[in-house]
Amino acid sequence: MRDPYEILGVARTADQSDIKRAFRKLAKKLHPDANKDSPKAQEQFAELNAAHEILSDVEKRGQFDRGEIDAEGKPRGFEGFPGGGFNSGFRRGRQAENPYESFSFGPDGVRRSGHGPHDAGGFDDVIADILGGLGGRGRGRSGGGEVPRGGDIDITVPVALERVVEGGSVKVHLPNGRTVEVKIPAGVAEGHRMRLKGQGEPSPFGGPAGDAYVVVSYAPHRHFRIEGSDLRTDVSLPLVDAVLGGKVRVPTLGGEVELSVPAHTQSGRTFRLRGKGLPKADGAAGDLLATTRIMLPDAPDGEIEELMRRRREGPA
């Protein structure tokens, strides 16, 4: 018998919720009803069941961690006695009527023992929750709940910043090959999730498909750099306006606006345009941070060149 932690693929420090989550995932994958063509399916599922029985029971897990019982649930030092196993009766605080009782596996691959269905720390409850009516070939929908549905998936969709502000439709490519249009509400924040019912992963047991969740992501923009809910952009500042002051045009997601620049503005100075950034989850908006970059004229300017020569040479 392999180490139960290894079988479930969890660390020794894993908490009970991690163990339950790992068991659910592997039970769906290894259940004999989902692997009818595999001759080892029942054996693998039985091994998974046995490992879960030790680790899902806090008392048994503690005994195993302390070395009081082995990976088969048998007390250390009693390996030679017959009938040992996970229900061998080695329980702190009570003496089993038959300390070496036997167990067997039913046609569904679920372990049965003389102490009843709850010896594995609620295993039957877990398996019923995972497999519903398909827990065994003798049980149908009426015997244990509904067939389990498929898994949910997240589909991250990059959305243009203008569409984030204005709202509109985007195309979403689903794992099943279909393409659908999803309407993005105006003012949506990054990380917003929209549910597409029944468009997720198919159920391996024939149940309904899971759901797909469209997750909004901000697409890169040619003018703006994204910093949380704020935007940054560079603004060309003519030399004359940098010296004398003036007005420059600044792009925003809602169109260009005018920015008044005072005289003697240095290149690299940043101006904050409040509320011109991206939507926030609380309904407010971030800011636009515009940084000036002094630009020379495209064509050579003799007057500017002469002025710069005089300033270089200093007073006559």
Side-chain angles (χ1 to χ4, degrees):
M1 182 70 184
R2 289 191 294 150
D3 186 311
Y5 289 102
E6 179 184 342
I7 294 171
L8 284 173
V10 296
R12 291 184 175 272
T13 56
D15 59 26
Q16 293 303 112
S17 62
D18 292 333
I19 290 171
K20 185 175 182 179
R21 195 158 40 241
F23 172 73
R24 288 175 181 271
K25 181 178 179 180
L26 290 172
K28 289 182 180 180
K29 178 180 178 182
L30 300 177
H31 193 273
D33 283 357
N35 298 274
K36 295 180 180 179
D37 296 332
S38 173
K40 294 185 178 181
Q42 185 158 327
E43 178 183 342
Q44 290 175 326
F45 189 76
E47 182 182 52
L48 176 67
N49 176 11
H52 176 261
E53 183 174 350
I54 278 192
L55 299 188
S56 65
D57 186 308
V58 176
E59 183 177 332
K60 288 183 182 180
R61 182 181 179 184
Q63 291 170 348
F64 176 78
D65 290 344
R66 293 189 297 270
E68 297 173 3
I69 60 175
D70 62 16
E72 295 185 1
K74 295 185 294 187
R76 297 284 184 181
F78 291 88
E79 290 83 351
F81 282 74
F86 286 98
N87 279 340
S88 61
F90 191 74
R91 292 176 173 80
R92 188 177 301 231
R94 81 172 174 92
Q95 177 65 39
E97 290 181 286
N98 179 2
Y100 300 110
E101 63 184 342
S102 61
F103 63 83
S104 62
F105 290 91
D108 55 2
V110 177
R111 180 186 174 280
R112 309 296 179 203
S113 72
H115 279 312
H118 299 290
D119 280 353
F123 172 81
D124 277 7
D125 292 338
V126 175
I127 201 66
D129 184 37
I130 294 174
L131 302 177
L134 286 182
R137 279 175 279 274
R139 296 185 297 177
R141 288 179 180 266
S142 62
E146 297 182 356
V147 178
R149 61 195 289 275
D152 295 338
I153 57 173
D154 283 353
I155 303 175
T156 301
V157 178
V159 180
L161 299 187
E162 290 82 0
R163 187 149 298 170
V164 166
V165 173
E166 301 169 0
S169 297
V170 295
K171 290 185 177 181
V172 178
H173 301 285
L174 300 174
N176 59 16
R178 293 182 56 205
T179 300
V180 297
E181 284 198 350
V182 176
K183 186 175 182 180
I184 303 295
V188 66
E190 188 170 39
H192 179 76
R193 301 170 82 236
M194 292 166 286
R195 179 187 179 198
L196 300 179
K197 187 175 181 180
Q199 300 298 324
E201 295 180 349
S203 169
F205 306 106
D211 299 332
Y213 288 86
V214 176
V215 184
V216 173
S217 173
Y218 292 152
H221 198 281
R222 63 191 182 98
H223 289 312
F224 305 113
R225 300 182 298 278
I226 301 171
E227 294 183 358
S229 59
D230 293 337
L231 296 175
R232 282 190 177 273
T233 189
D234 292 335
V235 179
S236 298
L237 179 63
L239 181 60
V240 63
D241 291 329
V243 176
L244 302 178
K247 295 180 181 292
V248 295
R249 306 290 294 179
V250 179
T252 74
L253 293 176
E256 289 189 342
V257 297
E258 279 192 342
L259 172 66
S260 295
V261 177
H264 302 290
T265 294
Q266 299 281 358
S267 185
R269 181 174 176 179
T270 298
F271 295 85
R272 184 181 294 271
L273 284 70
R274 298 195 178 277
K276 296 297 184 180
L278 293 167
K280 296 182 179 179
D282 60 2
D287 301 331
L288 172 61
L289 304 174
T291 301
T292 57
R293 305 296 180 192
I294 294 177
M295 305 294 291
L296 293 174
D298 293 334
D301 188 312
E303 292 183 3
I304 292 178
E305 292 176 1
E306 181 60 28
L307 175 63
M308 294 301 104
R309 286 193 194 98
R310 291 201 302 269
R311 291 188 63 84
R312 176 185 288 176
E313 294 170 357

